[in-house]
Amino acid sequence: MHLFRDRRFPILLALGFSAGVPLPLVAGQVLRQWFTESGLSLTDIGLTALIGLAYSLKFLWAPALDTVAPPFLSRLGRRRGWLLLIQPFLILAILATGFSNPATGPFGTAALAALVAFLSASQDIVVDAHRIEILEEQNQGYGLACYVWGYRLALLASGGGTLWLVGALGWGGAYAYAAALLLVGVLATLASREAPTKAAAPLPWGERLRLSVVHPFADFMRRPHWLAILLFIALFKLGEALAGIMTTPFYRSLGFSRDEVAAVGTVFGLFATLGGALAGGYVVARLGTARALVITGLGQMLSNLMYVALANAGHDMPMLWLQVGIENFTDGLADAAFVTYLSGLTSRAFTATQYALLSSLAAVPLRTLGASSGWMAESLGWTGFFLLTTAAALPAMAIMLFLLWRLPPAQPSGAPAPAG
């Protein structure tokens, strides 16, 4: 089978691209750069972390999108109908966000950004379901790879691209460019074909919620030390989350330009993360999940000290490249080990649903606690704040060592046995 001749794979690449476009605009560097340049306080910028809660809580309304037929467009099929209903509203919401003014009405801009996040998370739900339904089991891996690469390309086009265009087009024009990128997703939806519908009627919304949330979580709660596991999952990325929210105003305070942030922080940072994730897979295979988790977790924690070094160096481009490279590479390393460990926690009866649920719940504390990052930065100053983000990883490290002692993960094949 020639995969590149199968129209489903370029369609999934385009739908992945469409899914990735909104994230930097409302829950990432672009929005925080805009708020920073508009003169908002660090406390207000920190509160933007709450906008991304929709991405973490989307499992709550996912059963409704599975059960309810899309109004007006049901003849196109459940998945394509919902996508062609959501995508135009998503484009309009991004346009409206771009033409708001956070300098005079930050609440209005934040409310529009939250609407974009909700519509974007809803698009993610439908795209994921469509991807699974249109592919045979043996092609799921290829389909997911196409989706992920499309998503990563969108982070570059929407993140770095939008920031670069602000100087020429203004914030409204740059957001209009980003909204236009979503036309790729609209065209992909029109070109796609709905998977054959099953004869069985869809389950009621409440029953789907019970099967997709209540049962997998109840099963997880029956395992030993489940509360410690949840705490570890919730806290493992806390230091990174606190630091990441304040990265944009921090760079701005040191005098780095918007273009410098786009080139180094967004584009180079993304490639450093991908490189770290690839290296992390090798580390897990060679050392085993337990050792890899300890080593990469320690590296992730200590890499926050690079912010302290940059704060002391000031506007120093080589130091910025070094800080971004080390920070993002160690994040990618730790992500690979963390995902491997998280995957091993899931029950075979609920593999997909438990993994999705655990990964979503893990992000909720990061976004809620992360909202206080601006207040802490204002109170402590940059050096004190980034030292605190380094120390914030210690509780998760302690819980991790306890769990690895009491519940050691299975040794992957090919990994050397632990010494002595």
Side-chain angles (χ1 to χ4, degrees):
M1 176 182 180
H2 298 287
L3 294 174
F4 293 105
R5 296 179 184 175
D6 190 329
R7 61 185 287 170
R8 296 175 298 177
F9 295 103
I11 284 172
L12 289 175
L13 181 75
L15 288 176
F17 185 89
S18 181
V21 166
L23 183 65
L25 306 175
V26 296
Q29 198 168 35
V30 175
L31 183 71
R32 290 174 191 138
Q33 182 74 30
W34 191 12
F35 274 33
T36 300
E37 294 184 17
S38 299
L40 272 70
S41 68
L42 294 180
T43 299
D44 290 338
I45 294 171
L47 291 173
T48 61
L50 297 174
I51 293 172
L53 274 174
Y55 292 103
S56 303
L57 300 175
K58 61 186 178 183
F59 62 85
L60 293 176
W61 67 92
L65 292 177
D66 267 343
T67 305
V68 180
F72 313 115
L73 297 174
S74 58
R75 61 185 177 84
L76 296 175
R78 189 176 302 276
R79 308 307 181 193
R80 294 174 70 236
W82 271 118
L83 283 175
L84 289 175
L85 189 66
I86 291 169
Q87 287 166 336
F89 284 106
L90 183 55
I91 292 171
L92 290 175
I94 291 174
L95 283 170
T97 303
F99 287 102
S100 64
N101 188 349
T104 58
F107 179 79
T109 303
L112 286 167
L115 175 61
V116 172
F118 171 76
L119 292 170
S120 174
S122 300
Q123 179 185 230
D124 292 350
I125 293 168
V126 184
V127 169
D128 283 338
H130 189 52
R131 170 178 58 81
I132 292 169
E133 289 174 353
I134 65 173
L135 294 176
E136 302 81 10
E137 182 67 29
Q138 66 270 23
N139 287 324
Q140 290 293 336
Y142 295 112
L144 181 60
C146 290
Y147 173 88
V148 169
W149 275 105
Y151 198 97
R152 295 294 186 182
L153 290 172
L155 296 182
L156 291 176
S158 178
T162 301
L163 288 177
W164 272 321
L165 287 172
V166 170
L169 304 178
W171 285 104
Y175 266 70
Y177 148 80
L181 293 176
L182 283 169
L183 294 174
V184 172
V186 175
L187 293 175
T189 303
L190 291 171
S192 184
R193 294 171 182 166
E194 192 82 1
T197 56
K198 296 179 181 180
L203 295 172
W205 180 85
E207 179 65 13
R208 290 194 63 86
L209 187 65
R210 186 169 66 88
L211 292 175
S212 62
V213 178
V214 177
H215 280 188
F217 195 70
D219 174 79
F220 182 80
M221 289 174 64
R222 286 193 285 268
R223 69 182 57 213
H225 308 299
W226 68 270
L227 185 57
I229 293 172
L230 279 185
L231 284 173
F232 168 65
I233 292 171
L235 297 176
F236 184 68
K237 304 291 289 185
L238 178 59
E240 298 306 301
L242 291 172
I245 294 165
M246 286 293 105
T247 296
T248 300
F250 170 59
Y251 292 156
R252 179 78 173 180
S253 72
L254 297 180
F256 292 106
S257 70
R258 188 191 307 122
D259 289 347
E260 289 170 339
V261 171
V264 182
T266 303
V267 179
F268 173 64
L270 177 59
F271 283 106
T273 302
L274 292 174
L278 288 173
Y282 174 79
V283 171
V284 171
R286 292 293 299 167
L287 301 182
T289 304
R291 284 182 174 180
L293 199 57
V294 173
I295 293 171
T296 61
L298 188 63
Q300 175 183 257
M301 179 182 74
L302 295 177
S303 69
N304 273 20
L305 295 176
M306 290 301 299
Y307 287 108
V308 178
L310 183 59
N312 291 325
H315 187 272
D316 184 322
M317 283 302 297
M319 181 58 76
L320 177 65
W321 283 90
L322 191 62
Q323 181 268 315
V324 170
I326 292 175
E327 174 70 19
N328 286 274
F329 186 81
T330 55
D331 281 359
L333 278 174
D335 284 347
F338 182 62
V339 168
T340 303
Y341 178 72
L342 193 61
S343 300
L345 294 175
T346 58
S347 167
R348 288 191 177 275
F350 300 101
T351 301
T353 49
Q354 276 189 353
Y355 181 83
L357 186 61
L358 290 176
S359 57
S360 295
L361 290 176
V364 173
L366 304 184
R367 298 194 182 278
T368 51
L369 295 175
S372 65
S373 59
W375 171 79
M376 289 188 285
E378 284 184 331
S379 302
L380 300 173
W382 290 122
T383 298
F385 171 71
F386 287 118
L387 287 174
L388 177 65
T389 65
T390 305
L394 290 174
M397 294 292 288
I399 297 171
M400 177 183 69
L401 293 175
F402 167 78
L403 290 173
L404 294 178
W405 171 52
R406 297 302 300 269
L407 300 171
Q411 190 81 358
S413 59

